[in-house]
Amino acid sequence: MAPPTRKPIATEISESVLHFAPESGPASFGITVYNDSDRFASFQVGLVAPGAESNRQDWYRFSPSVSAKIPPGDRTRFQAHLLAVPPVPGGFTGTMNLTVRVYSTELRDEDRKDLRLIISGEGLLLPKITLPEKQFKVQPQAQLDIQANVYNPNRKSLEAVLELKGLPPEWLPEGLQKGVVLLPGEERQVTFRCLIPPATEAPSGLYSLNLELVKPATSAPSEQLLLEVLPEGFAEFQCEPYEQWIPLKSGRWINPLDGEAAYTLTFQNNSNVALTGTVSVLDEAAARQSPQKRRSFRLPGRAEPEETEAEATSPLPSLPSGLTLDKEHVNLQPGQAGSLELRVQKPLPWLGWSRLKRYQVQAHLADPTLDLRNDTQTLDLHILPVIPVWLQALSGLAGIFLAVFLWWWLAERGHTQPVQTVQFNGTGTEVVSGASDQTLRRWQVAGRGLRRQGVIDRGDKAVRVVQYRPVNNNWVASGLENGTIQLQNLLSNQTSTLESDRDDRVFGLVFDQDARTLWSAHGSGTILKWGLPADLGLASQATPEPAIEADFAVSAIALVGGADQYLMLGGRYQEFVLVDLQAEEGFNLPYRSGTQTDYINSLDVAAEQPMLLAAGDSQGYVSLWDMAACIQSPTDCEPISEWLGHGGAAVRSVALSPNGCHLASAGDDGRVRLWSLTGAGELRPDRLEGQVLRRSGQPLNAVDIQQRSRQLQVVSGGDDHAVRLHRVRLKTDDQCRSSG
């Protein structure tokens, strides 16, 4: 007779009778499993109760849940924890048999052991909790209701208390716990009301929440939820102070040979995301060449421009000489403010007046999608001489009188800093000019030159753009560095000011034909519409209407068409956008692509041909456009003519004669050129080189053209501080001719 076959699995349990009182917490016992096979094997354990729901395992727990593989003849141990009454329908009190089931996937065998369970107390089953939704997305300052369904499977009434963990208590104004009394077989809904605080108090991210049953007491696993607080808010940038002196206080007799000043550059995180901020600093000359982009909402139908790989990886420019930062960046949590200290060390000149040095500070965030407000600030630094001015005066009264005389003579001679803008009046008898010296000047056309008519306005910010009022030409609008627009009455010297709520440089101004509306373009990409009274007497009280927010720095604007229905925008990345003002719709017109340092610098429309548009850009191109064709089919729009106008140097300004027969341009090559056009708006093939009217050793920034009788007048201004008039007598062959 063959000996009996030995089972590959043998099981021992530490208790033959287990007492369990649900109110007293879990009951435990040990399980030892022997590997009596001839191979390595791992083991798992299960617990079976007669009549219990087979798909529920939340009433017990094993540690570990699965053993490691053990060799033949070895053993492994499990610890069993009874967490709740076995899920027998209606509950159970008294005695029942539990079966401990041990099985192995490698051995494909199992072993069973019985255990006697004595349940004291009421023997109630745990309520069943189900969640209709387990993932939530909310904005700051929103209200969210998290709901749970609770079911009583017992034949007796049951009080259940749920607790939601994982959120700050102040987010749950009605408390972290919710209680409900359930009749036998009843299911009810429990709602936890969450009030999400403002962005600075609600950090963005994923919050892992647990919904636990705290009454009846249990160690059963909790329900898991995910709450995502979405990003929201903005960051602000501020410099303090805006103006400093070296030295801070002038000495009584003499100043030190060098000095130091400090500016505090502050980031305020008004969002719910952590941010890293840093700054770049440019002196005034470099900042003038590099206006910055600020993100905003897109024009209708326009896609967000993508950064090139070079833009994304290029380092910030180095600091100008003598400037240092105390640290490279600040890291801020939501609601926090942090500062960088910008220190300036400069040698003092021995003699002369105080020197003014301007720096443009540009703030940057590591996350470019976060809105950064007031990202560009201009700082003024006054550098005093070693020998105070009053002491210099004592060295010779004659020298003081000579210096005053020279200062007066230079001031009356014209601008003392780069000229940014020039324009003729409608009759070509007068010119106004604006410059970085913060003055707006008036000139009379006299003979072959200009006669000074004095300063119209002397402000505290550079003048960027000037525009005559088209009706009567008795008012002049000027746009300033700080975003202010001033209206000057040339007859009464009355001044009115238009101010928006932004410190935002004005790069473009244009009146409509009846002078009742003024459009202004700003460095941030904002286009504002100003309604003006007929006499402009209430202009200081005017407020802008919501107009256009472009997502690029707008450097030039022009009204197109006889009815002023269309507005053209040009700017950074050589964006070329047509806006239908009545339909409130924008269209990107095809234009030569550019990088973040490329701009459409100037746009102009011929007064008598309002559909003929000229454009000049930083890549050196001058182009002419038939806007009637572009309006009819924006995607197929092409220039009538396009050419390199200044040997590849940037074109800063273009101007069309009223009849559209001539075009003047000025550029960084220091040249003013006059171009002859055909009747179809094309560059005349027999005049491809253009006529040079002015040569300067420095860049020229502004040009305008006007025709009087048989003579063209061209006025220009540039970095050499001069405003010049050029006259060209027209011949019969200079009139417009057809392209054929």
Side-chain angles (χ1 to χ4, degrees):
M1 182 176 177
T5 304
R6 187 176 183 182
K7 291 187 65 174
I9 303 174
T11 306
E12 293 179 357
I13 57 178
S14 62
E15 305 288 341
S16 59
V17 177
L18 183 66
H19 292 268
F20 176 54
E23 298 81 4
S24 302
S28 304
F29 61 94
I31 303 171
T32 304
V33 180
Y34 296 89
N35 182 6
D36 290 339
S37 69
D38 57 358
R39 65 182 112 165
F40 277 80
S42 61
F43 299 91
Q44 292 177 263
V45 186
L47 204 56
V48 180
E53 299 178 30
S54 59
N55 60 343
R56 290 189 59 182
Q57 298 179 357
D58 56 350
W59 54 281
Y60 64 86
R61 184 177 71 246
F62 290 105
S63 177
S65 57
V66 180
S67 75
K69 285 187 177 183
I70 60 176
D74 202 353
R75 64 182 179 181
T76 184
R77 290 184 176 88
F78 296 88
Q79 190 70 19
H81 306 279
L82 192 64
L83 307 176
V85 176
V88 178
F92 181 86
T93 302
T95 302
M96 72 162 57
N97 287 333
L98 296 181
T99 300
V100 178
R101 177 175 174 260
V102 180
Y103 55 96
S104 170
T105 56
E106 292 86 359
L107 303 179
R108 298 185 180 181
D109 201 351
E110 68 175 39
D111 189 25
R112 293 175 181 260
K113 292 292 182 180
D114 289 335
L115 171 69
R116 198 158 195 76
L117 174 64
I118 300 175
I119 301 173
S120 59
E122 296 183 349
L124 294 177
L125 294 175
L126 294 178
K128 293 182 180 179
I129 301 172
T130 56
L131 299 175
E133 189 174 356
K134 293 188 177 183
Q135 294 186 354
F136 305 89
K137 291 185 179 182
V138 292
Q139 297 280 1
Q141 294 187 294
Q143 176 178 305
L144 171 67
D145 288 342
I146 298 177
Q147 297 175 340
N149 296 324
V150 185
Y151 171 70
N152 180 11
N154 299 284
R155 297 189 181 93
K156 297 179 181 180
S157 296
L158 175 69
E159 181 183 6
V161 178
L162 303 180
E163 181 174 356
L164 184 62
K165 296 182 178 180
L167 288 178
E170 58 271 19
W171 292 23
L172 298 165
E174 298 177 359
L176 303 178
Q177 294 184 352
K178 290 284 186 176
V180 61
V181 176
L182 301 170
L183 298 176
E186 182 183 13
E187 182 177 37
R188 293 182 63 182
Q189 190 175 78
V190 174
T191 300
F192 290 86
R193 180 150 297 171
C194 301
L195 296 181
I196 310 301
T200 55
E201 301 173 20
S204 175
L206 284 175
Y207 292 76
S208 180
L209 312 182
N210 294 320
L211 186 62
E212 297 183 358
L213 182 67
V214 297
K215 186 177 181 180
T218 178
S219 299
S222 58
E223 295 289 338
Q224 305 295 313
L225 304 93
L226 282 179
L227 171 65
E228 181 180 2
V229 178
L230 300 175
E232 188 175 276
F234 60 92
E236 286 187 292
F237 180 64
Q238 186 67 39
C239 298
E240 180 67 30
Y242 286 106
E243 194 171 26
Q244 278 283 33
W245 282 261
I246 292 181
L248 185 61
K249 184 178 181 180
S250 179
R252 183 175 181 180
W253 296 102
I254 196 168
N255 290 319
L257 297 180
D258 54 24
E260 183 177 282
Y263 301 86
T264 301
L265 317 179
T266 303
F267 289 84
Q268 175 67 49
N269 186 1
N270 294 318
S271 74
N272 63 348
V273 298
L275 64 81
T276 298
T278 188
V279 298
S280 58
V281 184
L282 300 173
D283 60 29
E284 185 182 36
R288 177 178 170 273
Q289 303 294 330
S290 305
Q292 302 294 324
K293 175 184 177 184
R294 187 181 70 185
R295 293 186 179 275
S296 183
F297 69 85
R298 298 190 296 272
L299 283 169
R302 189 187 183 284
E304 182 79 4
E306 295 182 357
E307 287 188 330
T308 65
E309 182 178 353
E311 294 172 16
T313 59
S314 60
L316 294 174
S318 59
L319 295 174
S321 175
L323 274 64
T324 58
L325 286 168
D326 64 335
K327 51 190 174 186
E328 293 184 355
H329 57 266
V330 292
N331 297 314
L332 300 178
Q333 295 301 316
Q336 286 187 340
S339 301
L340 302 170
E341 185 177 65
L342 177 66
R343 304 196 70 85
V344 186
Q345 290 182 318
K346 290 288 184 181
L348 274 63
W350 277 94
L351 300 173
W353 306 98
S354 65
R355 272 69 163 171
L356 175 62
K357 191 74 173 175
R358 279 199 172 96
Y359 299 100
Q360 188 180 90
V361 181
Q362 177 73 26
H364 308 272
L365 296 180
D367 181 2
T369 62
L370 186 63
D371 181 22
L372 177 58
R373 299 182 180 179
N374 303 319
D375 60 342
T376 302
Q377 306 283 335
T378 300
L379 304 179
D380 289 349
L381 178 66
H382 302 271
I383 305 176
L384 303 179
V386 174
I387 301 176
V389 175
W390 70 269
L391 189 56
Q392 297 180 52
L394 292 179
S395 65
L397 189 59
I400 294 178
F401 286 134
L402 179 60
V404 171
F405 172 77
L406 289 175
W407 176 86
W408 173 85
W409 182 78
L410 289 173
E412 287 301 310
R413 182 172 63 89
H415 292 289
T416 59
Q417 292 189 29
V419 179
Q420 303 292 346
T421 177
V422 295
Q423 192 188 28
F424 281 111
N425 66 355
T427 60
T429 58
E430 285 188 355
V431 172
V432 289
S433 61
S436 296
D437 62 4
Q438 306 171 0
T439 63
L440 188 66
R441 292 180 174 269
R442 188 178 183 185
W443 311 79
Q444 182 180 4
V445 176
R448 300 186 63 83
L450 298 172
R451 180 181 299 130
R452 297 184 297 273
Q453 296 294 300
V455 176
I456 302 174
D457 182 67
R458 190 185 302 273
D460 58 357
K461 292 295 179 181
V463 180
R464 286 286 182 177
V465 61
V466 67
Q467 192 74 254
Y468 269 105
R469 182 190 185 197
V471 178
N472 301 328
N473 290 161
N474 57 343
W475 284 81
V476 172
S478 58
L480 306 185
E481 177 76 22
N482 63 351
T484 299
I485 300 170
Q486 291 189 334
L487 299 173
Q488 307 288 338
N489 189 320
L490 301 179
L491 301 178
S492 66
N493 293 326
Q494 176 187 0
T495 300
S496 299
T497 302
L498 307 180
E499 293 186 353
S500 65
D501 59 352
R502 311 181 184 199
D503 187 5
D504 201 354
R505 291 177 292 175
V506 183
F507 283 121
L509 292 173
V510 61
F511 283 98
D512 65 1
Q513 295 180 7
D514 61 4
R516 298 300 297 274
T517 301
L518 176 65
W519 297 86
S520 62
H522 300 258
S524 65
T526 300
I527 310 297
L528 298 178
K529 179 181 179 183
W530 305 84
L532 305 177
D535 60 356
L536 292 178
L538 301 176
S540 61
Q541 302 176 10
T543 56
E545 300 178 21
I548 301 167
E549 285 282 352
D551 58 355
F552 56 89
V554 177
S555 51
I557 59 173
L559 283 168
V560 176
D564 293 338
Q565 179 182 349
Y566 300 95
L567 184 68
M568 282 301 304
L569 313 180
R572 194 182 188 194
Y573 294 98
Q574 302 204 147
E575 297 289 352
F576 197 47
V577 178
L578 172 67
V579 180
D580 187 333
L581 299 176
Q582 293 183 5
E584 298 184 354
E585 186 176 10
F587 304 93
N588 279 355
L589 302 185
Y591 197 90
R592 183 183 303 273
S593 62
T595 67
Q596 62 177 349
T597 60
D598 294 324
Y599 288 79
I600 295 177
N601 293 318
S602 179
L603 298 173
D604 193 38
V605 174
E608 299 171 15
Q609 296 190 53
M611 288 298 182
L612 179 61
L613 176 76
D617 62 43
S618 59
Q619 291 185 351
Y621 284 90
V622 178
S623 55
L624 294 164
W625 303 76
D626 179 5
M627 297 310 300
C630 294
I631 292 170
Q632 183 176 3
S633 180
T635 57
D636 298 329
C637 177
E638 294 182 354
I640 304 171
S641 294
E642 182 180 49
W643 67 94
L644 279 172
H646 291 260
V651 178
R652 293 293 170 188
S653 180
V654 294
L656 284 165
S657 63
N659 60 8
C661 292
H662 302 277
L663 184 145
S665 62
D668 281 358
D669 62 346
R671 303 289 190 269
V672 173
R673 293 181 180 269
L674 179 65
W675 310 89
S676 296
L677 310 179
T678 69
E682 300 174 342
L683 180 63
R684 281 179 55 169
D686 58 335
R687 307 281 179 90
L688 295 179
E689 296 301 320
Q691 181 180 354
V692 177
L693 302 183
R694 178 180 176 184
R695 291 180 172 87
S696 173
Q698 300 185 52
L700 299 180
N701 306 317
V703 70
D704 196 18
I705 186 171
Q706 186 63 269
Q707 182 171 346
R708 297 183 67 188
S709 185
R710 299 283 300 168
Q711 196 174 64
L712 287 177
Q713 297 182 154
V714 178
V715 65
S716 61
D719 284 4
D720 58 2
H721 310 172
V723 179
R724 295 281 187 264
L725 178 71
H726 320 276
R727 292 180 180 271
V728 178
R729 182 170 298 278
L730 294 175
K731 302 177 183 178
T732 303
D733 192 46
D734 290 327
Q735 300 302 315
C736 289
R737 302 189 306 176
S738 67
S739 59

